[in-house]
Short mmCIF file of all heavy atoms in Angstrom, two decimals:
data_model
loop_
_atom_site.label_atom_id
_atom_site.label_comp_id
_atom_site.label_asym_id
_atom_site.label_seq_id
_atom_site.Cartn_x
_atom_site.Cartn_y
_atom_site.Cartn_z
N SER A 3 1.07 3.45 2.60
CA SER A 3 1.31 3.98 3.95
C SER A 3 2.78 4.12 4.32
O SER A 3 3.11 4.84 5.25
CB SER A 3 0.61 3.13 5.00
OG SER A 3 1.28 1.91 5.18
N MET A 4 3.69 3.48 3.59
CA MET A 4 5.11 3.58 3.92
C MET A 4 5.91 4.38 2.90
O MET A 4 7.14 4.39 2.93
CB MET A 4 5.71 2.18 4.11
CG MET A 4 5.36 1.54 5.42
SD MET A 4 5.89 2.50 6.87
CE MET A 4 7.66 2.37 6.75
N THR A 7 9.58 5.52 1.84
CA THR A 7 10.54 4.46 2.19
C THR A 7 10.31 3.20 1.38
O THR A 7 11.25 2.62 0.84
CB THR A 7 10.45 4.14 3.70
OG1 THR A 7 10.66 5.35 4.43
CG2 THR A 7 11.49 3.11 4.10
N LEU A 8 9.07 2.77 1.30
CA LEU A 8 8.68 1.59 0.53
C LEU A 8 7.50 1.94 -0.35
O LEU A 8 6.62 2.71 0.07
CB LEU A 8 8.31 0.42 1.45
CG LEU A 8 9.43 -0.16 2.30
CD1 LEU A 8 8.86 -1.12 3.34
CD2 LEU A 8 10.47 -0.86 1.43
N ILE A 14 10.58 -7.32 -0.15
CA ILE A 14 11.48 -7.07 0.97
C ILE A 14 11.89 -8.37 1.64
O ILE A 14 11.22 -9.39 1.49
CB ILE A 14 10.82 -6.13 2.00
CG1 ILE A 14 9.48 -6.68 2.46
CG2 ILE A 14 10.68 -4.72 1.44
CD1 ILE A 14 8.77 -5.88 3.54
N VAL A 15 12.99 -8.30 2.37
CA VAL A 15 13.46 -9.41 3.19
C VAL A 15 13.30 -9.00 4.64
O VAL A 15 13.68 -7.87 5.02
CB VAL A 15 14.94 -9.74 2.90
CG1 VAL A 15 15.45 -10.82 3.84
CG2 VAL A 15 15.13 -10.13 1.44
N ILE A 16 12.71 -9.89 5.44
CA ILE A 16 12.55 -9.60 6.86
C ILE A 16 13.22 -10.71 7.68
O ILE A 16 13.46 -11.80 7.16
CB ILE A 16 11.06 -9.46 7.28
CG1 ILE A 16 10.32 -10.80 7.19
CG2 ILE A 16 10.37 -8.41 6.45
CD1 ILE A 16 8.94 -10.78 7.81
N THR A 17 13.50 -10.39 8.93
CA THR A 17 14.02 -11.40 9.84
C THR A 17 13.42 -11.16 11.22
O THR A 17 13.08 -10.02 11.57
CB THR A 17 15.56 -11.38 9.92
OG1 THR A 17 15.99 -12.45 10.76
CG2 THR A 17 16.08 -10.07 10.46
N ASN A 18 13.29 -12.23 11.98
CA ASN A 18 12.88 -12.11 13.38
C ASN A 18 13.85 -12.85 14.29
O ASN A 18 13.60 -13.02 15.47
CB ASN A 18 11.44 -12.58 13.59
CG ASN A 18 11.27 -14.06 13.33
OD1 ASN A 18 12.21 -14.77 13.01
ND2 ASN A 18 10.04 -14.54 13.45
N LEU A 19 14.97 -13.28 13.73
CA LEU A 19 15.98 -14.01 14.48
C LEU A 19 16.58 -13.10 15.55
O LEU A 19 17.18 -12.08 15.24
CB LEU A 19 17.06 -14.52 13.52
CG LEU A 19 18.07 -15.48 14.09
CD1 LEU A 19 17.39 -16.76 14.56
CD2 LEU A 19 19.12 -15.81 13.03
N PHE A 20 16.39 -13.46 16.81
CA PHE A 20 16.88 -12.69 17.96
C PHE A 20 16.38 -11.24 17.93
O PHE A 20 17.06 -10.34 18.39
CB PHE A 20 18.42 -12.70 18.03
CG PHE A 20 19.01 -14.06 18.02
CD1 PHE A 20 19.76 -14.49 16.94
CD2 PHE A 20 18.80 -14.94 19.07
CE1 PHE A 20 20.31 -15.77 16.91
CE2 PHE A 20 19.35 -16.21 19.06
CZ PHE A 20 20.11 -16.62 17.98
N TYR A 21 15.19 -11.03 17.38
CA TYR A 21 14.70 -9.66 17.18
C TYR A 21 13.99 -9.10 18.40
O TYR A 21 13.13 -9.75 18.98
CB TYR A 21 13.76 -9.60 15.97
CG TYR A 21 13.21 -8.21 15.76
CD1 TYR A 21 14.06 -7.15 15.46
CD2 TYR A 21 11.85 -7.94 15.88
CE1 TYR A 21 13.56 -5.87 15.29
CE2 TYR A 21 11.35 -6.67 15.70
CZ TYR A 21 12.22 -5.64 15.40
OH TYR A 21 11.73 -4.36 15.23
N LYS A 22 14.37 -7.89 18.77
CA LYS A 22 13.69 -7.11 19.80
C LYS A 22 13.36 -5.76 19.18
O LYS A 22 14.26 -5.05 18.73
CB LYS A 22 14.60 -6.93 21.02
CG LYS A 22 13.97 -6.12 22.12
CD LYS A 22 14.90 -5.94 23.30
CE LYS A 22 14.21 -5.07 24.34
NZ LYS A 22 15.10 -4.75 25.45
N PRO A 23 12.07 -5.40 19.09
CA PRO A 23 11.69 -4.15 18.43
C PRO A 23 12.39 -2.93 19.04
O PRO A 23 12.52 -2.82 20.25
CB PRO A 23 10.18 -4.06 18.66
CG PRO A 23 9.75 -5.46 18.92
CD PRO A 23 10.90 -6.12 19.60
N ALA A 24 12.82 -2.05 18.15
CA ALA A 24 13.49 -0.82 18.57
C ALA A 24 12.90 0.37 17.82
O ALA A 24 12.41 0.21 16.69
CB ALA A 24 14.98 -0.92 18.31
N GLN A 25 12.96 1.52 18.44
CA GLN A 25 12.46 2.75 17.83
C GLN A 25 13.16 2.96 16.48
O GLN A 25 14.37 2.83 16.36
CB GLN A 25 12.73 3.92 18.76
CG GLN A 25 12.10 5.21 18.30
CD GLN A 25 12.35 6.34 19.29
OE1 GLN A 25 13.34 6.36 19.99
NE2 GLN A 25 11.44 7.28 19.33
N GLY A 26 12.35 3.23 15.45
CA GLY A 26 12.87 3.47 14.11
C GLY A 26 12.84 2.26 13.20
O GLY A 26 12.97 2.40 11.98
N ASP A 27 12.66 1.06 13.76
CA ASP A 27 12.60 -0.15 12.93
C ASP A 27 11.37 -0.13 12.02
O ASP A 27 10.29 0.32 12.43
CB ASP A 27 12.51 -1.41 13.79
CG ASP A 27 13.79 -1.75 14.50
OD1 ASP A 27 14.83 -1.10 14.24
OD2 ASP A 27 13.76 -2.68 15.34
N VAL A 28 11.54 -0.65 10.82
CA VAL A 28 10.41 -0.90 9.93
C VAL A 28 10.04 -2.36 10.11
O VAL A 28 10.88 -3.24 9.94
CB VAL A 28 10.78 -0.58 8.47
CG1 VAL A 28 9.61 -0.92 7.53
CG2 VAL A 28 11.18 0.89 8.32
N ILE A 29 8.79 -2.60 10.50
CA ILE A 29 8.36 -3.96 10.84
C ILE A 29 7.22 -4.43 9.95
O ILE A 29 6.50 -3.63 9.36
CB ILE A 29 7.92 -4.07 12.32
CG1 ILE A 29 6.73 -3.15 12.62
CG2 ILE A 29 9.09 -3.79 13.25
CD1 ILE A 29 6.07 -3.38 13.97
N VAL A 30 7.10 -5.76 9.88
CA VAL A 30 5.96 -6.40 9.21
C VAL A 30 5.15 -7.06 10.31
O VAL A 30 5.71 -7.75 11.18
CB VAL A 30 6.44 -7.43 8.18
CG1 VAL A 30 5.25 -8.15 7.55
CG2 VAL A 30 7.29 -6.76 7.11
N LEU A 31 3.85 -6.83 10.29
CA LEU A 31 2.99 -7.39 11.33
C LEU A 31 1.69 -7.89 10.73
O LEU A 31 1.32 -7.52 9.62
CB LEU A 31 2.71 -6.35 12.41
CG LEU A 31 1.92 -5.11 11.98
CD1 LEU A 31 0.49 -5.19 12.47
CD2 LEU A 31 2.60 -3.86 12.49
N ILE A 41 0.93 -6.07 7.20
CA ILE A 41 1.13 -4.65 6.96
C ILE A 41 2.53 -4.26 7.42
O ILE A 41 3.15 -4.95 8.24
CB ILE A 41 0.05 -3.77 7.63
CG1 ILE A 41 0.01 -4.00 9.14
CG2 ILE A 41 -1.30 -4.00 7.02
CD1 ILE A 41 -0.97 -3.08 9.87
N VAL A 42 3.02 -3.16 6.88
CA VAL A 42 4.35 -2.66 7.19
C VAL A 42 4.21 -1.28 7.83
O VAL A 42 3.49 -0.42 7.31
CB VAL A 42 5.22 -2.57 5.92
CG1 VAL A 42 6.62 -2.07 6.25
CG2 VAL A 42 5.28 -3.90 5.20
N LYS A 43 4.88 -1.09 8.97
CA LYS A 43 4.85 0.19 9.69
C LYS A 43 6.21 0.44 10.33
O LYS A 43 7.05 -0.45 10.41
CB LYS A 43 3.78 0.18 10.80
CG LYS A 43 2.37 -0.06 10.32
CD LYS A 43 1.84 1.07 9.47
CE LYS A 43 0.46 0.71 8.91
NZ LYS A 43 0.04 1.61 7.87
N ARG A 44 6.40 1.66 10.83
CA ARG A 44 7.64 2.01 11.52
C ARG A 44 7.36 2.11 13.02
O ARG A 44 6.38 2.71 13.45
CB ARG A 44 8.17 3.35 11.02
CG ARG A 44 9.55 3.68 11.60
CD ARG A 44 10.14 4.95 11.02
NE ARG A 44 10.35 4.89 9.59
CZ ARG A 44 11.46 4.49 9.00
NH1 ARG A 44 12.48 4.05 9.73
NH2 ARG A 44 11.58 4.51 7.68
N VAL A 45 8.25 1.52 13.82
CA VAL A 45 8.14 1.60 15.27
C VAL A 45 8.55 3.01 15.70
O VAL A 45 9.66 3.46 15.44
CB VAL A 45 9.03 0.55 15.97
CG1 VAL A 45 9.00 0.73 17.48
CG2 VAL A 45 8.62 -0.86 15.57
N ILE A 46 7.64 3.68 16.38
CA ILE A 46 7.89 5.04 16.88
C ILE A 46 8.28 4.99 18.35
O ILE A 46 9.10 5.79 18.80
CB ILE A 46 6.64 5.92 16.67
CG1 ILE A 46 6.29 6.00 15.18
CG2 ILE A 46 6.81 7.29 17.28
CD1 ILE A 46 7.40 6.54 14.29
N ALA A 47 7.69 4.07 19.09
CA ALA A 47 7.99 3.96 20.52
C ALA A 47 7.80 2.52 20.96
O ALA A 47 6.99 1.78 20.40
CB ALA A 47 7.09 4.89 21.33
N THR A 48 8.55 2.15 21.99
CA THR A 48 8.45 0.81 22.55
C THR A 48 7.91 0.91 23.98
O THR A 48 7.68 2.01 24.49
CB THR A 48 9.81 0.10 22.53
OG1 THR A 48 10.74 0.85 23.30
CG2 THR A 48 10.32 -0.07 21.11
N GLN A 51 7.60 3.92 26.80
CA GLN A 51 7.81 5.25 26.23
C GLN A 51 6.47 5.97 26.06
O GLN A 51 5.44 5.34 25.86
CB GLN A 51 8.53 5.17 24.89
CG GLN A 51 9.97 4.69 25.02
CD GLN A 51 10.71 4.78 23.69
OE1 GLN A 51 10.33 4.14 22.72
NE2 GLN A 51 11.77 5.59 23.68
N VAL A 64 8.60 11.76 21.51
CA VAL A 64 8.71 10.51 22.27
C VAL A 64 9.52 10.82 23.52
O VAL A 64 10.66 11.30 23.42
CB VAL A 64 9.38 9.39 21.44
CG1 VAL A 64 9.53 8.13 22.29
CG2 VAL A 64 8.56 9.10 20.19
N LEU A 69 10.83 13.90 17.62
CA LEU A 69 11.26 12.81 16.76
C LEU A 69 11.93 13.38 15.51
O LEU A 69 11.39 14.26 14.85
CB LEU A 69 10.05 11.97 16.37
CG LEU A 69 10.30 10.67 15.64
CD1 LEU A 69 11.06 9.69 16.52
CD2 LEU A 69 8.98 10.05 15.22
N ASP A 70 13.12 12.89 15.21
CA ASP A 70 13.82 13.23 13.98
C ASP A 70 13.36 12.22 12.94
O ASP A 70 13.73 11.04 13.00
CB ASP A 70 15.33 13.17 14.20
CG ASP A 70 16.11 13.52 12.94
OD1 ASP A 70 15.56 14.21 12.05
OD2 ASP A 70 17.28 13.09 12.85
N ASP A 71 12.53 12.66 12.00
CA ASP A 71 11.92 11.73 11.05
C ASP A 71 12.06 12.21 9.60
O ASP A 71 11.08 12.51 8.94
CB ASP A 71 10.47 11.45 11.41
CG ASP A 71 9.65 12.71 11.66
OD1 ASP A 71 10.15 13.82 11.41
OD2 ASP A 71 8.50 12.57 12.08
N TYR A 73 12.55 10.58 7.04
CA TYR A 73 12.06 9.56 6.12
C TYR A 73 10.59 9.74 5.76
O TYR A 73 10.08 9.03 4.90
CB TYR A 73 12.26 8.17 6.74
CG TYR A 73 11.86 8.12 8.20
CD1 TYR A 73 10.54 8.06 8.59
CD2 TYR A 73 12.84 8.18 9.20
CE1 TYR A 73 10.17 8.05 9.91
CE2 TYR A 73 12.49 8.17 10.53
CZ TYR A 73 11.15 8.11 10.89
OH TYR A 73 10.80 8.11 12.22
N TYR A 94 4.18 -4.12 24.01
CA TYR A 94 3.58 -3.47 22.85
C TYR A 94 4.55 -2.46 22.23
O TYR A 94 5.53 -2.06 22.86
CB TYR A 94 2.29 -2.73 23.25
CG TYR A 94 1.14 -3.65 23.53
CD1 TYR A 94 1.06 -4.33 24.74
CD2 TYR A 94 0.14 -3.87 22.60
CE1 TYR A 94 0.01 -5.19 25.02
CE2 TYR A 94 -0.92 -4.73 22.86
CZ TYR A 94 -0.97 -5.37 24.07
OH TYR A 94 -2.02 -6.23 24.33
N VAL A 95 4.22 -2.04 20.99
CA VAL A 95 4.92 -0.95 20.33
C VAL A 95 3.88 -0.02 19.72
O VAL A 95 2.75 -0.43 19.45
CB VAL A 95 5.90 -1.44 19.23
CG1 VAL A 95 7.01 -2.27 19.83
CG2 VAL A 95 5.19 -2.20 18.12
N PHE A 96 4.28 1.24 19.53
CA PHE A 96 3.45 2.24 18.86
C PHE A 96 4.03 2.43 17.47
O PHE A 96 5.23 2.65 17.33
CB PHE A 96 3.49 3.56 19.64
CG PHE A 96 2.63 4.64 19.07
CD1 PHE A 96 1.35 4.86 19.56
CD2 PHE A 96 3.09 5.46 18.05
CE1 PHE A 96 0.55 5.86 19.03
CE2 PHE A 96 2.30 6.47 17.51
CZ PHE A 96 1.02 6.66 18.02
N VAL A 97 3.18 2.33 16.44
CA VAL A 97 3.65 2.41 15.05
C VAL A 97 2.94 3.52 14.28
O VAL A 97 1.80 3.85 14.55
CB VAL A 97 3.47 1.07 14.31
CG1 VAL A 97 4.27 -0.05 14.96
CG2 VAL A 97 2.00 0.67 14.19
N LEU A 98 3.67 4.06 13.31
CA LEU A 98 3.12 4.99 12.33
C LEU A 98 3.64 4.60 10.96
O LEU A 98 4.72 4.01 10.84
CB LEU A 98 3.56 6.43 12.62
CG LEU A 98 3.04 7.11 13.88
CD1 LEU A 98 3.71 8.48 14.06
CD2 LEU A 98 1.53 7.28 13.84
N GLY A 99 2.89 4.96 9.92
CA GLY A 99 3.39 4.82 8.57
C GLY A 99 4.26 6.02 8.23
O GLY A 99 4.10 7.09 8.81
N ASP A 100 5.18 5.86 7.30
CA ASP A 100 6.01 6.99 6.87
C ASP A 100 5.21 7.99 6.05
O ASP A 100 5.56 9.16 5.97
CB ASP A 100 7.21 6.50 6.06
CG ASP A 100 8.25 5.80 6.94
OD1 ASP A 100 8.07 5.75 8.17
OD2 ASP A 100 9.25 5.32 6.37
N ARG A 102 2.45 9.54 6.72
CA ARG A 102 1.62 9.74 7.92
C ARG A 102 0.19 10.16 7.63
O ARG A 102 -0.71 9.85 8.41
CB ARG A 102 2.28 10.79 8.82
CG ARG A 102 3.69 10.42 9.22
CD ARG A 102 3.72 9.75 10.56
NE ARG A 102 4.96 9.09 10.82
CZ ARG A 102 6.02 9.66 11.38
NH1 ARG A 102 5.97 10.92 11.76
NH2 ARG A 102 7.12 8.97 11.58
N ASP A 107 -2.74 3.44 11.41
CA ASP A 107 -1.67 3.06 12.33
C ASP A 107 -2.13 3.22 13.77
O ASP A 107 -3.33 3.23 14.02
CB ASP A 107 -0.38 3.84 12.01
CG ASP A 107 -0.62 5.34 11.84
OD1 ASP A 107 -1.42 5.91 12.62
OD2 ASP A 107 -0.02 5.93 10.94
N SER A 108 -1.21 3.37 14.70
CA SER A 108 -1.56 3.40 16.13
C SER A 108 -2.37 4.63 16.54
O SER A 108 -2.83 4.70 17.67
CB SER A 108 -0.30 3.29 16.99
OG SER A 108 0.28 2.01 16.86
N ILE A 116 0.61 -2.16 19.01
CA ILE A 116 0.81 -3.50 18.46
C ILE A 116 1.44 -4.42 19.49
O ILE A 116 2.54 -4.15 19.99
CB ILE A 116 1.71 -3.44 17.20
CG1 ILE A 116 1.12 -2.49 16.16
CG2 ILE A 116 1.93 -4.84 16.63
CD1 ILE A 116 -0.28 -2.83 15.70
N LYS A 118 3.63 -7.23 20.61
CA LYS A 118 4.86 -7.73 19.98
C LYS A 118 4.68 -9.11 19.37
O LYS A 118 5.38 -9.47 18.42
CB LYS A 118 6.00 -7.78 21.01
CG LYS A 118 6.50 -6.42 21.42
CD LYS A 118 7.64 -6.60 22.42
CE LYS A 118 8.11 -5.29 22.97
NZ LYS A 118 9.20 -5.49 23.94
N ILE A 121 4.19 -9.14 15.59
CA ILE A 121 5.29 -8.74 14.72
C ILE A 121 5.93 -9.98 14.11
O ILE A 121 6.41 -10.87 14.82
CB ILE A 121 6.34 -7.92 15.50
CG1 ILE A 121 5.70 -6.63 16.05
CG2 ILE A 121 7.54 -7.59 14.59
CD1 ILE A 121 6.62 -5.83 16.97
N LEU A 122 5.92 -10.03 12.78
CA LEU A 122 6.51 -11.16 12.07
C LEU A 122 8.02 -10.99 11.90
O LEU A 122 8.75 -11.96 11.76
CB LEU A 122 5.85 -11.32 10.70
CG LEU A 122 4.32 -11.52 10.74
CD1 LEU A 122 3.76 -11.57 9.33
CD2 LEU A 122 3.97 -12.78 11.51
N GLY A 123 8.49 -9.76 11.88
CA GLY A 123 9.91 -9.48 11.74
C GLY A 123 10.13 -8.03 11.36
O GLY A 123 9.19 -7.27 11.19
N HIS A 124 11.40 -7.67 11.22
CA HIS A 124 11.70 -6.32 10.78
C HIS A 124 12.36 -6.36 9.41
O HIS A 124 13.04 -7.33 9.05
CB HIS A 124 12.54 -5.55 11.81
CG HIS A 124 13.95 -6.02 11.96
ND1 HIS A 124 15.03 -5.30 11.52
CD2 HIS A 124 14.45 -7.15 12.49
CE1 HIS A 124 16.14 -5.96 11.79
NE2 HIS A 124 15.81 -7.08 12.38
N VAL A 125 12.12 -5.32 8.64
CA VAL A 125 12.61 -5.25 7.28
C VAL A 125 14.10 -4.94 7.31
O VAL A 125 14.53 -3.99 7.97
CB VAL A 125 11.86 -4.16 6.47
CG1 VAL A 125 12.40 -4.06 5.06
CG2 VAL A 125 10.36 -4.44 6.47
N ILE A 126 14.87 -5.76 6.60
CA ILE A 126 16.30 -5.50 6.55
C ILE A 126 16.80 -5.15 5.15
O ILE A 126 17.86 -4.55 5.01
CB ILE A 126 17.11 -6.71 7.10
CG1 ILE A 126 16.79 -7.98 6.35
CG2 ILE A 126 16.87 -6.87 8.59
CD1 ILE A 126 17.71 -9.14 6.68
N TYR A 127 16.01 -5.48 4.12
CA TYR A 127 16.52 -5.31 2.77
C TYR A 127 15.37 -5.25 1.78
O TYR A 127 14.38 -5.95 1.93
CB TYR A 127 17.42 -6.50 2.44
CG TYR A 127 18.55 -6.21 1.50
CD1 TYR A 127 19.66 -5.50 1.90
CD2 TYR A 127 18.50 -6.68 0.18
CE1 TYR A 127 20.71 -5.26 1.04
CE2 TYR A 127 19.54 -6.44 -0.70
CZ TYR A 127 20.65 -5.73 -0.25
OH TYR A 127 21.68 -5.49 -1.12
N SER A 137 19.50 -1.80 1.76
CA SER A 137 18.98 -1.93 3.14
C SER A 137 17.93 -0.85 3.39
O SER A 137 17.91 0.20 2.75
CB SER A 137 20.12 -1.82 4.14
OG SER A 137 20.75 -0.57 4.04
N ILE A 138 17.07 -1.15 4.34
CA ILE A 138 15.99 -0.24 4.73
C ILE A 138 16.29 0.24 6.14
O ILE A 138 16.53 -0.56 7.05
CB ILE A 138 14.62 -0.95 4.69
CG1 ILE A 138 14.31 -1.48 3.30
CG2 ILE A 138 13.52 -0.04 5.21
CD1 ILE A 138 14.14 -0.43 2.24
N GLY A 139 16.27 1.54 6.35
CA GLY A 139 16.57 2.07 7.67
C GLY A 139 15.38 2.64 8.36
O GLY A 139 14.30 2.68 7.95
#
Side-chain angles (χ1 to χ4, degrees):
S3 73
M4 283 301 292
T7 304
L8 295 169
I14 55 177
V15 175
I16 68 170
T17 184
N18 65 2
L19 189 63
F20 306 113
Y21 179 63
K22 179 180 178 186
Q25 187 178 29
D27 288 352
V28 177
I29 61 169
V30 176
L31 65 104
I41 58 176
V42 181
K43 300 293 175 193
R44 187 176 298 269
V45 175
I46 300 302
T48 60
Q51 293 187 299
V64 178
L69 189 64
D70 180 23
D71 50 8
Y73 44 77
Y94 287 78
V95 296
F96 182 96
V97 298
L98 292 174
D100 288 357
R102 303 264 165 88
D107 48 41
S108 292
I116 304 302
K118 290 181 185 180
I121 299 173
L122 303 176
H124 70 109
V125 178
I126 57 170
Y127 211 74
S137 61
I138 300 295

